[in-house]
Amino acid sequence: MPPLREIQEAFHAAIFQNDTRLNNQITERNGLSGGTRLNIYRSSVLGIQTDALAAVYPVIQRLVGEPFFRTIGRDYLRKHPSPSGDLHQLGAQMSGFLAMLTAVSELPYLADVARLEWAWHRVFHAANDTDLDLQALANIPAKKQAGINFSLRNGALLLESDYPVHRIWEVNQEEYADDETIDLAEGGVHLLIWRNGFELRIDPLE
């Protein structure tokens, strides 16, 4: 019998790369061949993970359509399998994947919309921070104030784009019922994606 590591690598290749090396090594059961049983497992794994991607990238799915999203979602999963068992970590490379995908080259803003959705996802799941203690800050001696460094809290991210991605994101929300006009000529934006308690916000910055 091959080492466990080789079996695990072959199984991973069977699920994500349609590798057939294990087909004859899996026992037939209930009239289902080893290859058929692998296909069932592959369909289940890719289906669950594609659903997870759709939950993170609902605007991308709406822009390209659900059938096409599921197709590119499976392609993404084959090229970028998650290193984590946590489904919340799935999809971190989607923006770069879309930027290189010729099938969506007519939507040049798509990769940046994915960056915005991933930022929203990260902020939503970020650990809570302790509020800044203003009194402690005020008590720092003047001679030490030059050494103070401020950083964004866990539930806040900055994003820069050459496109008005916040408007694209806004008009593609299910509950949106206002003016759907988007002018790509508006140019780029600088955005702060942040969480205030349980409220998530996207604020354009000057």
Side-chain angles (χ1 to χ4, degrees), residues 1-203:
M1 176 176 290
L4 177 60
R5 180 181 178 87
E6 290 185 13
I7 295 175
Q8 291 173 330
E9 290 176 344
F11 187 75
H12 185 277
I15 299 303
F16 290 98
Q17 306 299 333
N18 294 328
D19 193 297
T20 60
R21 285 176 293 168
L22 286 183
N23 284 11
N24 295 328
Q25 299 183 46
I26 296 179
T27 305
E28 180 178 336
R29 183 172 295 176
N30 297 328
L32 299 177
S33 67
T36 299
R37 294 178 67 194
L38 265 178
N39 285 336
I40 293 172
Y41 192 87
R42 179 186 302 112
S43 178
S44 177
V45 169
L46 293 178
I48 290 171
Q49 293 195 0
T50 303
D51 288 343
L53 284 178
V56 176
Y57 295 104
V59 173
I60 297 296
Q61 177 170 268
R62 184 166 182 173
L63 290 171
V64 302
E66 181 179 357
F68 186 62
F69 180 86
R70 299 197 73 81
T71 297
I72 64 175
R74 289 180 176 235
D75 289 343
Y76 170 85
L77 292 168
R78 292 187 176 100
K79 292 182 179 179
H80 300 284
S82 177
S84 170
D86 184 353
L87 287 178
H88 290 153
Q89 303 298 320
L90 193 66
Q93 307 299 320
M94 180 62 80
S95 175
F97 173 78
L98 292 174
M100 301 298 293
L101 192 63
T102 56
V104 296
S105 59
E106 294 184 358
L107 303 175
Y109 50 81
L110 203 62
D112 281 2
V113 174
R115 288 174 56 216
L116 175 55
E117 291 205 277
W118 182 249
W120 180 271
H121 176 73
R122 285 183 59 197
V123 167
F124 180 82
H125 290 286
N128 289 326
D129 268 320
T130 302
D131 288 338
L132 179 64
D133 187 337
L134 296 179
Q135 186 57 54
L137 184 64
N139 290 339
I140 295 176
K143 63 181 180 180
K144 293 186 177 181
Q145 291 176 4
I148 297 174
N149 291 305
F150 293 96
S151 61
L152 286 174
R153 61 191 307 157
N154 288 328
L157 290 169
L158 296 170
L159 186 146
E160 180 182 4
S161 173
D162 292 332
Y163 305 97
V165 289
H166 62 308
R167 278 288 296 154
I168 297 172
W169 182 90
E170 181 183 32
V171 303
N172 282 284
Q173 299 304 302
E174 288 187 3
E175 69 277 9
Y176 186 78
D178 205 340
D179 180 19
E180 296 186 358
T181 302
I182 299 173
D183 183 7
L184 295 182
E186 288 180 12
V189 291
H190 297 81
L191 304 174
L192 172 65
I193 302 95
W194 64 293
R195 190 182 72 223
N196 183 21
F198 295 104
E199 178 191 13
L200 268 70
R201 295 175 57 103
I202 299 175
D203 289 340

